[in-house]
Amino acid sequence: MSSNSIHARAALLDDGWAENVRLVLDGGVISGVEAGVEAHAEDERVDHLVPAMGNHHSHAFQRAMSGLAEKRGQGTDTFWTWRDVMYRFALAMNPDQMEAVAAQLYVEMVEAGFCRVGEFHYLHNDRDGLPYANRGEMSERIVAAAGEAGIGLTLLPAFYAHSNFGGLAPNDGQRRFINDLAGFEDLLARCRDMAATHHGVSVGVAPHSLRAVTPQELDALVAMAGDDPIHIHVAEQEKEVADCLEWCGQRPLEWLLAHAPVNERWCLIHSTHLTGDELDGIVHAGATVGLCPVTEGNLGDGVFPAADLLRNGGRFGIGTDSNVSVGVAGELRQLEYSQRLAQRQRSVVARQGWSSGRVLFSEARRGGQAALNFSVDIEQGAPATFVTFDSASVPWLSRDSLLDAWIFGDALRPDGVWIDGRQMVAEGRHVAAGPVAERFRRTMTELLRETGLQ
Ligand SMILES: [Zn+2]
């Protein structure tokens, strides 16, 4: 049930926590904010209220393989063995299944407190590798799923043309990802048409990686992007760094920063393996580092030096990437714990005197907004997009300690989520959760049969 006015016992505003905050909502926008006021009789009462978070990096179809890629194979399990399972799902999924899996994922994202997702979408072609008659078929399913879940979408169609550095021919397992530049231009135009006609949808461009895109193709994609966001996977794996050095004598980030017009519109996904000079280069360019802490941990990628980035004035966001789990709290916890394990210290990301949860939450929100080119704050004129928590079961926690308990503990999860004035989550459950979960269950039965995984 949506309400036209909300009263929060405490709310996280742009300049910090305030008590007794009353919001008036009008047409999906916050039309009034007052702090230090009593509730009116008609107000919906909430306990703690915070602005919502963007999830800058997702591959929706991979939600289907959560829990199915953890069995150890022969020899050493690596990113590359995980990728084999991922390709089995990628090769099996039809458009209806894509939509069902994405809808389940996006419902889970909203329940977790994400209000917008950057969908780095590369499953474009039909199962035989030929384009669908409508090249935007699979993208349309992503847009439909986001609409059903009520989550904002920055659709990032990915250009993927090669299997490794130097423009090597793609392999058969990659056939559903492949485009040439003319085909991609058609796809991008269809995505932009959808953005123009669907509320909450915007578009960027995603050169998949330096493995999958030649320098000439990268130039063409940057030109196609115009002023839209540009996202690229870079320096995730040590093998990728070694292959890049062999190809050109430079490391992936070193090459990218020297040869592409990287600026504040760019999101550099992972950036795990970087030198101090490369970190300085990212900060100087103003780009966002696209961290995906749970997936990076799951795949054994490595640990990004997040505290160094912040100390140097840089910016990071968080993404759920492979969607093996879906949570704001889980990503931020993994991010902080990876830093603590690497440095054998506590409270690594926070500045002195600050709560870890508050700094992680605020910094990731800032990075997510930059990467996805959107803005939500609790202020007049902003979208009515926020998350509420009920501290009734933990009344001794409030403000920053509540954020810390959410991120590092198990007792709290979002109670309510509003996106553009619509209440999508009430009492912790998405309004469309039931039918979406039922369709997802049916789809998983089909997919497991078709992939031969069970
Ligand atoms: Zn990714």
Side-chain angles (χ1 to χ4, degrees), residues 4-62:
N4 289 323
S5 54
I6 292 175
H7 187 274
R9 190 164 72 86
L12 185 56
L13 308 182
D14 202 28
D15 54 357
W17 287 102
E19 305 280 330
N20 290 311
V21 176
R22 184 165 189 270
L23 307 182
V24 179
L25 314 187
D26 189 5
V29 169
I30 300 173
S31 60
V33 183
E34 276 184 290
V37 296
E38 293 302 311
H40 296 199
E42 71 274 20
D43 292 350
E44 174 153 358
R45 309 277 194 108
V46 300
D47 187 71
H48 278 65
L49 184 149
V50 302
M53 173 83 77
N55 175 354
H56 65 63
H57 191 66
S58 160
H59 307 293
F61 77 91
Q62 294 177 15

Side-chain angles (χ1 to χ4, degrees), residues 137-156:
E137 172 73 45
M138 293 295 250
S139 300
E140 286 185 6
R141 301 312 188 104
I142 295 289
V143 171
E148 188 168 8
I151 194 169
L153 172 69
T154 300
L155 182 59
L156 300 158

Side-chain angles (χ1 to χ4, degrees), residues 7 36 38 43 45 47 56 159 164 187 209 234 244 286 303 368 415:
H7 187 274
E38 293 302 311
D43 292 350
R45 309 277 194 108
D47 187 71
H56 65 63
F159 178 87
N164 212 341
L187 170 64
S209 58
V234 63
C244 190
V303 177
D415 175 54

Side-chain angles (χ1 to χ4, degrees), residues 8 27 34 62 65 122 128 132 159 180 194 229 261 275 326 335 370 435:
E34 276 184 290
Q62 294 177 15
M65 56 188 280
Y122 59 90
D128 58 7
Y132 288 99
F159 178 87
D180 58 19
M194 282 190 279
T275 63
V326 180
L335 170 57

Side-chain angles (χ1 to χ4, degrees), residues 54-58 118 156 231 267 269 289-292 317-319 368 371-372:
N55 175 354
H56 65 63
H57 191 66
S58 160
L156 300 158
H231 289 218
C267 183
I269 307 298
V289 176
L291 301 179
C292 307
I318 52 162
L372 301 177

